[in-house]
Amino acid sequence: MDEKRAEPDFLPVSTPATLYGEFTQNSNRRGRWAVNLTEKDLVVQRIASAPVGRNKVVLSLRDCVGCRAYREDDKADPSAYFAAYFYPLRKRRWMTSPSRQRVEQCFRLAALQDSHANLEEAEKWARAVRERSARQQRLRDDVLLNSLPHPCRILLFVNPQSGKGQALTLYNSHIQRMLNEAGVIHKLIITERQNHARELVKDVDLSQWDALVIMSGDGLLHEVINGLLERPDWEEAVRTPLGILPGGSGNALAASVHYYSGVSQVRGEELLVSCGFLLCRGLVSHMDLVSLHLSSGQRLFSFLSLAWGFVADVDVESEKYRHAGAARFTVGTLVRLASLRIYKGKLAYLPASRGRHMDKRGERREAACCRNPASCLTQTLEDDFPNNTCHSNNSLKLRRSEGRSPRSAAKALPGPPDALLPPLDQPLPSDWVLVPEEEFVLMLAMHQSHLAEDLLAAPNARLADGVIHLFYVTAGISRSALLRLFLAMEKGAHLDTNCQHLVHEKVRALRLEPGAGKGIITVDGEVVEYGPIQAEVHAGLGRVISG
Ligand SMILES: Nc1ncnc2c1ncn2[C@@H]1O[C@H](COP(=O)(O)OP(=O)(O)OP(=O)(O)O)[C@@H](O)[C@H]1O
């Protein structure tokens, strides 16, 4: 999508500060309601003798997804209606945290005998609600890019097999209605097999769509992102805003996007409604993507995580508990704890504090100083490869340089070049850190906050912070300490447990060389070939609909 095209859907303020009207409600034609539309709220009050507080409803326009005017089929009835749809945060009696609940306000305008005049008046109200609601979207120029146009057109991929196999039911029960309320035009694609979405995305005419939305687990989004980056026009394609609606059992990106919106943690259908709300509001942010190289020469992109050891094993082994939904990871964790094992390998990383990069004007800056990671073009360490030699067969051994450009490895592969990574079989530059331990229980590289709906693995991560949050747990940790870590992770408190075996580093690139033998490595929850792997973050390369 052309980012310049997406102007917010409102005109300069021309309507009066407050609109006032008295109407009946569609659901109750006996009473009358006084309706005040201010710049920030829709205030609805029943005109009755009861005390004011009891019959007054104040709905924030920040919670509004849409408003429409219409007439019913009855030609003899000249009335028109306007209906506004809100999703405010409300706490249900049996729930610990608030979640978004649907509230519809529908008013009947029948002051005139002329149906056109009534409809015109209803349209005036609907437009005013939409315009004011759009003005309530605060665009923070450091992270948020723009908002989706209105009306917006989305291509919605639903994986009917994802999670407990209920994604289509959830689409029918929640999402279809929300999109209609928000005036979002969408085409539904029900994926039929693995890689179906990837193939479609590689060929689709992206100019027809303002966003691609995925209703599934994280695996389908992984496919879509890689499909976009495999296109010849990947530079343009990767800027297509992506939306995520949780339909799987992990739903890590959906939980991360919800978390960044500042609202307390929710799960299941509450998380779906929250993500649906964010989609309807249509604010677009940058998102980091991580480029990965496998030993076979394959290159792929990741938006979420790279896991080896305990976490990867749990992810794959817990597939058989899929019917349990999000609880599958808890069951899997307990089963794997019972047969806890050690994973041998070598791990090295480039600390974020050392990753220097160029901005658009070609000036050198420290990564940590960058206020707007999205403005980063490419990171380069070419200057950090001073002439030197290294005589080692071990590619994780640090070196000064071998006089060849680190870009050469990525040249023939799609997507942006990697400037920090030498070829996988070559030693690493001297400013990388080699982890002294070679026995691990897990290695987990997180690009976003959540590993699953209820696993806040990297609480400080942000959509486009330009860093990989690298965690590793060294051998020697007891089963009970590891269990405590995972229990604390539900609230993101694992780093406060002062576990000496847990290390957290913010890095810009990493390399893992697992020891010989079989094992599991996952990228965004999907299994990739086992063997040496390296990764580099591309700050703000992707776009995601967030809050
Ligand atoms: N109709 C289908 N039948 C079988 N597999 C499909 C179908 N559509 C998509 N897939 C594949 O299913 C895989 C898993 O999808 P995804 O991760 O989105 O859901 P999930 O595994 O249920 O979610 P989670 O990872 O959260 O448990 C993806 O690789 C996707 O390509």
Side-chain angles (χ1 to χ4, degrees):
M1 187 188 67
D2 179 358
E3 283 163 18
K4 286 186 205 116
R5 195 172 78 76
E7 291 296 326
D9 171 39
F10 57 82
L11 303 168
V13 188
S14 56
T15 40
T18 301
L19 271 183
Y20 179 81
E22 291 181 11
F23 313 111
T24 54
Q25 281 200 336
N26 195 15
S27 54
N28 181 350
R29 294 193 183 179
R30 273 181 297 180
R32 281 186 75 72
W33 274 260
V35 181
N36 267 297
L37 177 65
T38 70
E39 191 56 32
K40 290 185 173 170
D41 303 306
L42 185 74
V43 184
V44 182
Q45 192 174 340
R46 186 160 188 184
I47 303 170
S49 52
V52 168
R54 258 193 257 153
N55 59 31
K56 186 172 167 184
V57 178
V58 180
L59 291 155
S60 167
L61 293 176
R62 283 183 172 226
D63 297 326
C64 179
V65 296
C67 188
R68 69 190 181 101
Y70 62 93
R71 284 197 57 230
E72 289 195 329
D73 285 342
D74 182 358
K75 289 213 169 78
D77 179 5
S79 15
Y81 302 85
F82 75 91
Y85 309 100
F86 295 83
Y87 286 82
L89 284 166
R90 291 196 172 161
K91 199 166 155 188
R92 288 202 171 127
R93 222 175 284 157
W94 64 90
M95 286 174 64
T96 48
S97 30
S99 59
R100 295 208 175 267
Q101 318 284 330
R102 181 176 182 277
V103 175
E104 177 180 343
Q105 291 286 341
C106 182
F107 300 99
R108 177 169 174 263
L109 288 77
L112 305 165
Q113 281 308 305
D114 179 355
S115 60
H116 291 292
N118 285 332
L119 186 59
E120 240 174 62
E121 182 67 6
E123 272 165 357
K124 183 184 90 182
W125 275 85
R127 211 170 31 248
V129 170
R130 285 199 303 268
E131 288 172 4
R132 287 164 198 230
S133 157
R135 279 201 289 270
Q136 291 302 309
Q137 308 208 34
R138 298 271 173 266
L139 299 186
R140 285 175 25 214
D141 62 1
D142 56 341
V143 180
L144 293 171
L145 270 179
N146 53 29
S147 52
L148 294 176
H150 186 91
C152 116
R153 308 150 304 167
I154 67 168
L155 198 52
L156 174 58
F157 295 90
V158 179
N159 173 1
Q161 302 297 333
S162 61
K164 294 190 219 169
Q166 292 177 332
L168 265 179
T169 312
L170 291 170
Y171 163 79
N172 286 322
S173 60
H174 295 279
I175 298 304
Q176 190 178 29
R177 181 171 69 180
M178 288 182 97
L179 295 179
N180 289 341
E181 289 168 355
V184 174
I185 300 155
H186 67 284
K187 178 174 170 185
L188 181 66
I189 295 185
I190 300 170
T191 57
E192 291 163 13
R193 59 182 185 282
Q194 194 167 26
N195 283 324
H196 185 191
R198 189 181 193 135
E199 288 155 19
L200 291 175
V201 159
K202 273 166 84 169
D203 291 328
V204 73
D205 177 2
L206 289 172
S207 69
Q208 300 296 308
W209 306 103
D210 299 307
L212 304 180
V213 178
I214 286 82
M215 185 160 177
S216 184
D218 297 298
L220 200 65
L221 182 59
H222 175 82
E223 270 188 17
V224 165
I225 286 175
N226 280 282
L228 289 174
L229 278 149
E230 281 163 13
R231 292 169 61 113
D233 64 345
W234 63 265
E235 255 168 302
E236 186 66 24
V238 76
R239 287 195 230 137
T240 308
L242 302 172
I244 183 80
L245 296 169
S249 45
N251 304 319
L253 186 67
S256 301
V257 164
H258 170 85
Y259 171 69
Y260 303 142
S261 75
V263 177
S264 22
Q265 189 163 321
V266 290
R267 297 173 190 178
E269 290 186 32
E270 273 85 25
L271 181 61
L272 177 65
V273 173
S274 171
C275 291
F277 172 78
L278 295 176
L279 171 60
C280 292
R281 295 293 285 179
L283 293 177
V284 181
S285 307
H286 289 274
M287 176 170 70
D288 291 344
L289 295 179
V290 170
S291 153
L292 289 147
H293 295 256
L294 311 181
S295 58
S296 61
Q298 192 196 343
R299 186 192 190 200
L300 65 155
F301 284 84
S302 159
F303 64 94
L304 186 67
S305 63
L306 164 65
W308 170 64
F310 189 88
V311 172
D313 288 2
V314 168
D315 200 357
V316 172
E317 289 164 6
S318 66
E319 275 289 325
K320 51 179 171 285
Y321 313 119
R322 174 166 288 280
H323 59 274
R328 86 176 226 220
F329 300 107
T330 314
V331 181
T333 300
L334 294 174
V335 170
R336 175 93 334 244
L337 265 178
S339 51
L340 187 62
R341 54 167 287 218
I342 286 166
Y343 305 81
K344 292 192 178 175
K346 292 179 181 167
L347 178 62
Y349 59 86
L350 178 67
S353 53
R354 293 190 204 167
R356 280 176 291 171
H357 61 285
M358 301 283 193
D359 68 12
K360 275 182 179 160
R361 293 185 300 277
E363 291 166 354
R364 260 203 181 288
R365 296 194 301 183
E366 290 297 323
C369 300
C370 183
R371 271 192 68 243
N372 182 0
S375 72
C376 305
L377 278 178
T378 53
Q379 303 93 22
T380 173
L381 273 189
E382 275 175 304
D383 294 358
D384 297 329
F385 281 73
N387 290 332
N388 210 326
T389 49
C390 175
H391 307 282
S392 169
N393 290 329
N394 182 348
S395 58
L396 263 184
K397 274 228 173 112
L398 308 181
R399 63 147 192 198
R400 296 252 118 205
S401 169
E402 291 173 75
R404 51 193 283 193
S405 163
R407 289 171 191 268
S408 58
K411 241 177 204 167
L413 301 165
D418 294 312
L420 303 178
L421 301 173
L424 195 46
D425 58 355
Q426 297 294 314
L428 291 165
S430 61
D431 53 356
W432 284 57
V433 174
L434 178 62
V435 175
E437 291 87 356
E438 296 194 358
E439 293 192 338
F440 301 87
V441 165
L442 67 88
M443 191 281 304
L444 175 65
M446 293 294 302
H447 327 324
Q448 299 302 334
S449 61
H450 280 68
L451 183 59
E453 273 182 36
D454 50 5
L455 286 176
L456 179 48
N460 297 325
R462 289 295 175 267
L463 270 174
D465 56 12
V467 294
I468 299 171
H469 294 257
L470 172 64
F471 298 87
Y472 59 88
V473 173
T474 52
I477 190 171
S478 66
R479 285 187 175 83
S480 57
L482 190 58
L483 180 60
R484 269 200 302 280
L485 278 187
F486 276 92
L487 291 176
M489 203 185 277
E490 281 191 24
K491 298 254 178 295
H494 45 298
L495 290 170
D496 305 332
T497 57
N498 294 323
C499 171
Q500 299 199 334
H501 293 275
L502 172 65
V503 180
H504 170 223
E505 298 285 350
K506 290 183 184 177
V507 311
R508 299 181 65 71
L510 65 90
R511 180 183 287 181
L512 170 73
E513 278 184 6
K518 286 185 185 166
I520 297 170
I521 294 177
T522 58
V523 171
D524 301 344
E526 303 295 303
V527 178
V528 297
E529 94 191 27
Y530 194 69
I533 186 166
Q534 60 182 8
E536 170 178 336
V537 64
H538 288 262
L541 178 64
R543 305 287 184 271
V544 71
I545 298 164
S546 62

